[in-house]
Amino acid sequence: MHLPLKKLDLSQIANNQKISTPKYDRENTDIGIVHLGPGAFHRAHQAVYTENAMNLSGGNWGICGVSLRSATARDILAEQDNLYTLAVLDKKVSYQVIGAIKEILVASEQSDDVIARMSAASTKLITLTITEKGYCLASDGSLDLNHKDIKHDLAKPTTPSSAIGFIVESLKQRKLNGISAYNVLSCDNVSGNGDKLRRAVLDYAGQFDTSLQSWIDKNVAFPNAMVDSITPKTESYTIESVSKAINLQDNWPIQREEFTQWVIENNWQGERPDWENVGVIFTDDVEGFEKAKLRLLNCLHSTLAYAGSLAGFETVFDVTSDQGFYQFITKLASDEIIGSFIPPKELDVKAYSNEIIQRFLNPSIRHLLAQIAFDGSQKIQMRILPTIEDNLALGRSTKLLSLSLACWFEFICRALKAKEEINDPMASHFANMPQLLSEDVHDVVTAFLSIDSIFGQVFKNNTQLTAQLVGSLTALRLGEINHIVDKLCAKNSHTAVLLNNTQS
Ligand code: CS2
């Protein structure tokens, strides 16, 4: 049994060449950041950048993680002084003990403590990874006032349940107590994440206090940001392999690829960690980086998650290693995604796309397709639908994008028919749609496109797109997805002809 990471005198491992440890005076570092949603990605990305910034330049940038519901991370990390190991598993392997997280609270149990921490003058920054569904948005990007959490919070604003409720209540306290506002930085895969969060926060505050709404509007920056690093969730094998590698018992390590990127809109003032000097890019053109990442990496990820699951694959590495699927996502990227948006002037988007696919072929990372498949109703709105919409407007092909979307349709339909759990905030909505069980493919496509909270008007009246989706779903139901992607890129194959005929 390994020495427990908990109660560890870090100097005991400071000489261990395999592991790097905090260089700053952790014991005397105060909390300056509250992070809502301290899941795998936060611990592997923002917390690491902040750790490295403190190693380089110090500062009271300790993090209080606030889990909105689950107590798992708090209870496990509390046992090891909130220390954990980042395992970078790539061509090079490295281990780094991260000390940036000083405290974890569970909002559903400790809402007063959360408000107090967020209202404290020492807290300068709120960051978030609450996933797409956490923003409680309607399909037009506004705050969904009928969302159950928003309705709860408007009724009980001092004991909120949503991230937005906590932000507004803590800002109200700061304003009342004459404490300056903090800035809010979204770190989610949401297009225009800062703008959308700002609009939701102002919409919410405006429901009951227009003076507070104006104060927030004037004093709080919500920069847009793009975040990237492939970070599978922690599984039992992660705990075993990392603990063995570092010869310490770490019960909540995190694994990640070598590649990491953080691009933040350079439109805000106020204190922040020395992120610029540890690789964070501050720019005026976040949108170009964000579209490149969401439309390429995340769209290809979701395509593989659904198409690969239908084909019986388990991980990103496995499905990308299949020539047919490799060709499918390569063509999808080159023929239909690249060219649908304006990339940052400094980005070689073709090389960027090729690099993404090579990242998927990292044999050291076991990234489950099932993990990526979560919350598809929310993710496709950021990753697939905007590209289809732009391509339709530009008269560009949507054949492969339609196949990708049809794979999500079929993924949902098969789960419903098998009565399997669907990890999606709209699972109950799908379960109440008997049309999704129909053998008539046209009925199924029409039913999906009728869901107003997912599909805007442009998807409902487009006969070409409907025909493409019907053709793709027909092909999926006629033959296994493996067959389709193998033939899809072959010249004049029966399947390619079928798809081309129904989708030209
Ligand atoms: C993945 C992302 O689970 C998913 O939806 O596509 O978490 C992906 O790994 C990250 O965006 C990579 O930066």
Side-chain angles (χ1 to χ4, degrees):
M1 189 66 177
H2 304 297
L3 182 69
L5 183 57
K6 67 180 180 181
K7 303 288 178 267
L8 181 76
D9 173 355
L10 288 172
S11 63
Q12 291 174 32
I13 53 174
N15 300 322
N16 183 329
Q17 297 306 312
K18 286 185 183 177
I19 321 170
S20 61
T21 56
K23 302 288 182 293
Y24 56 94
D25 179 359
R26 185 176 187 247
E27 289 312 308
N28 295 305
T29 296
D30 291 336
I31 289 170
I33 298 172
V34 172
H35 183 86
L36 305 181
F41 187 71
H42 169 68
R43 297 195 297 123
H45 184 272
Q46 303 96 53
V48 174
Y49 277 108
T50 302
E51 178 84 355
N52 294 341
M54 289 195 285
N55 280 338
L56 181 69
S57 310
N60 286 307
W61 297 110
I63 299 169
C64 166
V66 174
S67 178
L68 291 176
R69 288 173 182 77
S70 165
T72 304
R74 177 197 61 187
D75 296 346
I76 293 174
L77 287 177
E79 278 300 299
Q80 48 190 63
D81 194 18
N82 294 310
L83 294 167
Y84 63 92
T85 311
L86 167 72
V88 175
L89 306 177
D90 215 307
K91 295 181 182 65
K92 287 188 300 180
V93 174
S94 64
Y95 300 95
Q96 180 180 0
V97 173
I98 306 296
I101 294 181
K102 301 272 295 183
E103 171 185 67
I104 293 188
L105 302 174
V106 178
S108 54
E109 299 172 17
Q110 304 167 277
S111 63
D112 291 347
D113 296 337
V114 173
I115 298 289
R117 178 62 77 187
M118 292 175 75
S119 309
S122 52
T123 297
K124 310 292 185 192
L125 194 53
I126 307 295
T127 56
L128 305 90
T129 45
I130 53 176
T131 77
E132 296 86 343
K133 61 181 178 289
Y135 292 76
C136 307
L137 300 178
S139 59
D140 66 355
S142 65
L143 180 66
D144 178 0
L145 294 174
N146 292 316
H147 190 289
K148 64 179 175 55
D149 292 345
I150 299 302
K151 288 170 77 171
H152 167 276
D153 293 357
L154 288 172
K156 298 180 179 176
T158 59
T159 54
S161 58
S162 70
I164 290 158
F166 275 104
I167 289 171
V168 172
E169 179 61 23
S170 57
L171 285 170
K172 185 180 84 176
Q173 297 300 326
R174 292 175 82 102
K175 179 173 180 283
L176 281 172
N177 297 324
I179 295 172
S180 59
Y182 46 59
N183 289 317
V184 179
L185 180 56
S186 168
C187 305
D188 279 300
N189 290 321
V190 172
S191 53
N193 51 18
D195 293 339
K196 285 186 173 122
L197 183 54
R198 178 179 181 278
R199 181 178 175 186
V201 164
L202 294 176
D203 283 357
Y204 178 89
Q207 297 301 309
F208 55 88
D209 186 338
T210 51
S211 164
L212 175 61
Q213 182 189 44
S214 303
W215 186 79
I216 294 172
D217 188 21
K218 182 165 178 262
N219 294 287
V220 180
F222 294 81
N224 293 305
M226 183 279 274
V227 291
D228 188 4
S229 190
I230 292 174
T231 305
K233 66 178 183 178
T234 296
E235 296 187 82
S236 53
Y237 78 86
T238 324
I239 296 170
E240 288 155 25
S241 59
V242 170
S243 297
K244 184 178 177 196
I246 66 170
N247 196 26
L248 291 168
Q249 186 59 38
D250 183 347
N251 292 321
W252 208 234
I254 191 69
Q255 59 181 329
R256 198 200 79 189
E257 65 172 334
E258 175 78 33
F259 181 95
T260 185
Q261 189 174 40
W262 197 0
V263 180
I264 302 176
E265 190 173 12
N266 198 19
N267 69 343
W268 54 312
Q269 301 304 318
E271 296 175 68
R272 63 193 183 209
D274 186 18
W275 284 331
E276 284 95 325
N277 288 310
V278 292
V280 179
I281 299 168
F282 284 84
T283 175
D284 297 332
D285 180 20
V286 173
E287 186 180 9
F289 282 98
E290 172 192 281
K291 283 187 174 177
K293 196 269 180 166
L294 281 170
R295 293 190 179 201
L296 282 164
L297 187 146
N298 292 118
C299 173
L300 300 183
H301 248 183
S302 289
T303 298
L304 292 175
Y306 304 118
S309 297
L310 295 177
F313 290 99
E314 191 182 16
T315 69
V316 172
F317 175 80
D318 294 343
V319 65
T320 310
S321 301
D322 175 276
Q323 187 195 352
F325 283 89
Y326 181 91
Q327 285 180 318
F328 177 20
I329 61 173
T330 303
K331 266 183 80 69
L332 171 57
S334 59
D335 295 5
E336 298 191 5
I337 300 175
I338 293 172
S340 73
F341 65 95
I342 298 171
K345 54 188 179 303
E346 63 266 43
L347 185 71
D348 174 343
V349 68
K350 183 65 184 160
Y352 176 74
S353 177
N354 292 337
E355 182 188 27
I356 285 169
I357 296 173
Q358 289 309 308
R359 288 165 59 192
F360 290 175
L361 288 168
N362 177 350
S364 305
I365 289 286
R366 202 173 105 83
H367 201 177
L368 296 175
L369 298 178
Q371 176 185 339
I372 300 168
F374 271 35
D375 297 349
S377 67
Q378 312 300 304
K379 291 181 178 179
I380 65 170
Q381 298 180 58
M382 307 292 167
R383 306 172 175 202
I384 301 176
L385 303 189
T387 310
I388 290 178
E389 194 164 345
D390 287 348
N391 279 10
L392 289 174
L394 295 167
R396 287 165 44 88
S397 167
T398 55
K399 178 180 72 176
L400 298 178
L401 287 160
S402 296
L403 178 55
S404 173
L405 184 55
C407 286
W408 177 67
F409 288 174
E410 184 65 357
F411 177 83
I412 295 296
C413 292
R414 288 194 191 178
L416 289 171
K417 289 171 182 171
K419 296 187 179 1
E420 290 167 356
E421 182 187 14
I422 296 175
N423 288 296
D424 192 297
M426 295 199 68
S428 57
H429 189 96
F430 299 142
N432 292 320
M433 292 179 69
Q435 315 92 305
L436 300 185
L437 302 175
S438 170
E439 290 310 313
D440 181 319
V441 170
H442 196 277
D443 284 353
V444 172
V445 169
T446 304
F448 272 111
L449 295 182
S450 71
I451 303 173
D452 293 338
S453 60
I454 300 176
F455 296 98
Q457 211 49 43
V458 71
F459 293 92
K460 299 175 190 298
N461 308 325
N462 190 299
T463 49
Q464 174 196 303
L465 181 65
T466 300
Q468 288 181 343
L469 290 167
V470 169
S472 293
L473 198 51
T474 301
L476 281 171
R477 293 188 174 187
L478 276 178
E480 285 310 308
I481 178 71
N482 319 55
H483 174 74
I484 292 172
V485 295
D486 284 346
K487 302 300 179 189
L488 186 69
C489 304
K491 293 276 183 264
N492 305 322
S493 69
H494 167 66
T495 307
V497 170
L498 173 72
L499 282 176
N500 281 311
N501 283 348
T502 53
Q503 300 185 13
S504 54

